[in-house]
Amino acid sequence: MTMNRFTLPGLLAMALLLPVLPAQAALRVFACEPEWGALAQELGGSLVDVSVATTAMQDPHQIQAKPSLIARARNADLVVCTGAELETGWLPILLQQSGNAKVQAGQPGNFAAADHVRKLELPIQVDRSQGDVHAAGNPHIQTDPRNIAQVATALGARLQQVDPAHAADYARRQADFAQRWQQAMARWATQAAPLKGVPVVSQHKAFVYLYDWLGLKEVAVLEPKPGVEPSAAHLQTVLTTLKASPARMVLRAAYQDSKPSDWLNKNAGVAAVTLPFTVGGSDGAKDLFGLFDDTVARLLAAVSPK
């Protein structure tokens, strides 16, 4: 009987002597808001390691540049944020303290989503006495899925630029997402047709892009100025306005205090609707598709006959 010249112990010994090749490290993506973290994950899959600075239950204007966030920015290959001054109170400090040259403003590793869409509510002049006014326009672009589509195209190209070794994979995933997203947008547009022209009240100027998409009509805002809590006197003024121009619902983001909307619900009989606003803002908004499925469903429920 002929014996195999390589015994099992011998093969194991040889295997231990072979060089260990490191696994391909994932591209580290640091997203400022949940919607961009979710989008990066859609476009990158297993090629990206995504961390998100905020949750749906936090006001993205009011974030502190904590050491834990600075550490994540320091290790990031790509920072993906809204821009349009949404993070102006904390992101510049975060990037400066990180010491990471490749994610500074103007570098390929720094991506601002709002640079790739048409901004609404551009102010004629910037006067901070008017409240939390953004010179670059309203930054809450994620409430319109058409904006998500445009940002996805730009972000897909940026991923290819910063990680050229996997450019073909990113291109394939971006094309797949675009197809699924266009189909979903067509479905949402059909479902949301009854919402066109419906008068609404906003608690904060957070939904201008949602209104532009669905044709909702904003007739009043509970905050007297962006970012300023409404006083009792201002709420009474809104109540008077609604007697002349009735609204069907008052909308607030999940992270906002419900008291002003609840007050209007009680005193004007207007349905108070909490929208997820971003991924994670409700049980149904677990990803970008769920975000708009749930948003449209909540709006339709408010105008459906009881």
Side-chain angles (χ1 to χ4, degrees):
M1 181 175 177
T2 303
M3 296 293 292
N4 192 315
R5 60 181 295 189
F6 296 112
T7 64
L8 181 58
L11 290 171
L12 290 174
M14 290 176 63
L16 292 174
L17 293 175
L18 292 174
V20 177
L21 297 177
Q24 177 63 47
L27 187 81
R28 291 174 299 237
V29 178
F30 177 80
C32 286
E33 291 83 31
E35 61 268 22
W36 309 131
L39 182 59
Q41 197 65 67
E42 287 277 359
L43 301 180
S46 62
L47 295 174
V48 295
D49 177 13
V50 179
S51 64
V52 183
T54 61
T55 73
M57 298 306 165
Q58 292 177 291
D59 182 346
H61 301 86
Q62 307 294 332
I63 303 298
Q64 293 184 343
K66 296 180 179 178
S68 58
L69 295 183
I70 294 171
R72 280 192 259 170
R74 180 178 299 122
N75 295 322
D77 300 302
L78 177 64
V79 167
V80 181
C81 298
T82 296
E85 297 188 355
L86 178 63
E87 306 95 354
T88 192
W90 57 277
L91 183 60
I93 299 171
L94 193 72
L95 296 180
Q96 180 185 27
Q97 292 294 319
S98 76
N100 186 346
K102 59 187 173 184
V103 298
Q104 301 302 315
Q107 297 301 311
N110 185 298
F111 180 90
D115 288 350
H116 304 281
V117 303
R118 175 179 63 97
K119 262 80 75 185
L120 301 177
E121 294 188 338
L122 285 161
I124 297 174
Q125 62 181 27
V126 178
D127 182 354
R128 291 304 177 188
S129 68
Q130 297 172 353
D132 189 15
V133 176
H134 297 277
N138 191 301
H140 303 302
I141 63 171
Q142 83 284 356
T143 59
D144 183 343
R146 298 171 300 184
N147 287 341
I148 300 292
Q150 291 177 269
V151 174
T153 299
L155 182 56
R158 186 64 61 87
L159 286 166
Q160 294 177 53
Q161 181 183 358
V162 298
D163 187 13
H166 296 102
D169 295 308
Y170 292 123
R172 177 182 54 80
R173 293 190 66 93
Q174 196 275 321
D176 174 69
F177 174 79
Q179 181 180 26
R180 290 184 291 121
W181 196 250
Q182 290 297 327
Q183 292 171 346
M185 283 201 296
R187 183 180 76 250
W188 295 323
T190 300
Q191 293 171 341
L195 296 170
K196 188 172 184 179
V198 170
V200 299
V201 177
S202 308
Q203 182 163 311
H204 172 69
K205 295 288 283 184
F207 302 107
V208 57
Y209 296 94
L210 177 73
Y211 301 158
D212 186 62
W213 170 47
L214 295 179
L216 293 164
K217 181 183 178 184
E218 185 180 74
V219 295
V221 181
L222 295 187
E223 290 181 349
K225 299 175 183 179
V228 177
E229 288 298 313
S231 63
H234 179 72
L235 290 174
Q236 287 293 340
T237 300
V238 172
L239 199 59
T240 301
T241 299
L242 295 183
K243 289 179 180 179
S245 302
R248 298 286 296 279
M249 59 183 119
V250 55
L251 307 182
R252 73 174 180 92
Y255 72 84
Q256 292 175 313
D257 186 349
S258 67
K259 291 186 182 68
S261 292
D262 291 343
W263 184 92
L264 196 66
N265 170 254
K266 179 181 178 180
N267 290 277
V270 176
V273 180
T274 303
L275 295 182
F277 192 60
T278 185
V279 173
S282 69
D283 290 341
K286 296 186 186 303
D287 58 19
L288 287 168
F289 292 90
L291 170 62
F292 289 97
D293 283 338
D294 195 46
T295 295
V296 171
R298 287 169 181 255
L299 293 171
L300 288 172
V303 298
S304 297
K306 301 297 188 288

